[in-house]
Amino acid sequence: MNVVRSEGSCVAIRNLSPSTSINRSCAHGSASPDDATCGTPTWIGKGLTCVCFKRKGAYERICINLTPRQEERFKRLKHRMKVYFDASRPDHQDALRALWSATYPDQELNGLISDQWKEMGWQGRDPSTDFRGAGFISLENLLFFAKTFTTSFQHLLKKQEGKRSAWEYPFAVAGVNVTFMIMQMLDLDALKSRRTFVRSVFLQMLSENEWAFDLLYCVAFVVMDKQWLERNATYMEFNDVLKSTRAQVERELLMDDVLRIEDMPSYSLLS
């Protein structure tokens, strides 16, 4: 199996047979033939920092150097993740109003604190109290979804597809949880020694598309709803559905022919 990625980030995967000779200069500890780590850049061409590895059937740590564009977008995304929702900020208030307008274009919002928000799946009259876990980026994700994939957004909001449970997940709060799940999965604040292949694959995608995180969010949301329906889940099983959603998203990100978010098989669920 070979996957080649450009721009000098971690760029290739190679399954090693027991007879393969490797350079262990960038290995993280000792390795057996089927527990191989990194090889020399000459395997895959100029400008590449190292070869990714597969350990005991699972993708593990890799060597990676960020390109300037990756570094810039990476810092911008990390900054977005650290912004708390602040109900006193005019731009955050405007984002909430924009979400309402995108969700219910023909219905006027009475106020930022209103029983109307419960229609969207917030826990109470004041949606600002539900952003604590994931911050302002979770609102940005919902707004991106509403504007970019309007049909899918409305189907999920109104629970229009499949046999629905009597105890459905609240749409907006579920969206905040999806954001938090992706943040945990990518673990962008991880120490160098704990970085995962999923994280590094995503950073390469981020270099190709600045909106990769938001697109991944939309994919994860529709995957979550699909798994919800397949399992005939109820609200008490929401965390289990979220775990299985994360596992599927990770598997798709690591597929050989997935080089962009748009290449993920579940991206086709969006409309």
Side-chain angles (χ1 to χ4, degrees), residues 17-249:
S17 65
S19 60
T20 303
S21 173
I22 63 171
N23 180 339
R24 303 185 187 279
S25 61
C26 59
H28 299 275
S30 60
S32 61
D34 63 345
D35 191 16
T37 54
C38 300
T40 63
T42 55
W43 283 355
I44 46 181
K46 298 180 180 180
L48 308 180
T49 59
C50 74
V51 175
C52 308
F53 68 90
K54 192 174 185 180
R55 173 173 297 186
K56 296 179 181 177
Y59 297 95
E60 296 276 343
R61 303 185 193 103
I62 58 176
C63 305
I64 180 169
N65 291 327
L66 298 180
T67 65
R69 181 164 60 174
Q70 283 176 315
E71 186 71 36
E72 177 188 355
R73 291 183 174 179
F74 178 45
K75 287 180 178 178
R76 194 177 305 161
L77 178 57
K78 286 182 69 175
H79 173 73
R80 287 178 66 196
M81 290 180 172
K82 292 178 180 178
V83 177
Y84 293 100
F85 182 86
D86 185 347
S88 67
R89 285 181 54 168
D91 56 333
H92 288 198
Q93 295 173 7
D94 289 343
L96 262 182
R97 293 189 185 95
L99 176 62
W100 179 268
S101 296
T103 306
Y104 303 108
D106 300 322
Q107 187 175 343
E108 185 177 351
L109 177 65
N110 295 331
L112 293 179
I113 298 178
S114 167
D115 283 330
Q116 289 175 290
W117 290 107
K118 297 178 184 178
E119 298 174 27
M120 199 186 297
W122 301 101
Q123 295 183 87
R125 302 178 70 246
D126 183 1
S128 68
T129 60
D130 290 330
F131 292 118
R132 294 168 185 161
F136 184 62
I137 192 173
S138 59
L139 173 54
E140 292 180 311
N141 288 159
L142 279 167
L143 187 54
F144 179 89
F145 191 7
K147 290 185 173 182
T148 308
F149 302 103
T150 304
T151 301
S152 292
F153 182 88
Q154 290 292 332
H155 283 176
L156 267 62
L157 170 72
K158 299 172 183 175
K159 308 292 194 300
Q160 290 178 330
E161 296 182 355
K163 182 181 178 181
R164 312 305 306 200
S165 167
W167 292 90
E168 277 290 324
Y169 63 84
F171 174 78
V173 173
V176 174
N177 277 273
V178 170
T179 296
F180 187 68
M181 178 269 289
I182 298 174
M183 291 167 67
Q184 287 186 313
M185 178 184 74
L186 297 178
D187 199 12
L188 297 183
D189 282 324
L191 298 174
K192 186 177 291 187
S193 62
R194 293 180 57 85
R195 291 174 184 169
T196 64
F197 191 73
V198 168
R199 175 187 188 276
S200 298
V201 165
F202 172 77
L203 288 179
Q204 177 61 31
M205 293 175 173
L206 187 63
S207 73
E208 301 295 333
N209 189 336
E210 189 170 6
W211 300 104
F213 185 90
D214 303 83
L215 287 171
L216 183 59
Y217 168 86
C218 298
V219 172
F221 208 144
V222 293
V223 168
M224 185 274 293
D225 188 73
K226 185 171 183 288
Q227 299 229 359
W228 177 273
L229 291 173
E230 289 174 352
R231 294 168 63 120
N232 260 339
T234 65
Y235 186 63
M236 297 300 292
E237 299 171 276
F238 181 77
N239 286 337
D240 292 334
V241 173
L242 210 56
K243 288 177 184 176
S244 62
T245 298
R246 171 172 172 169
Q248 180 173 337
V249 170

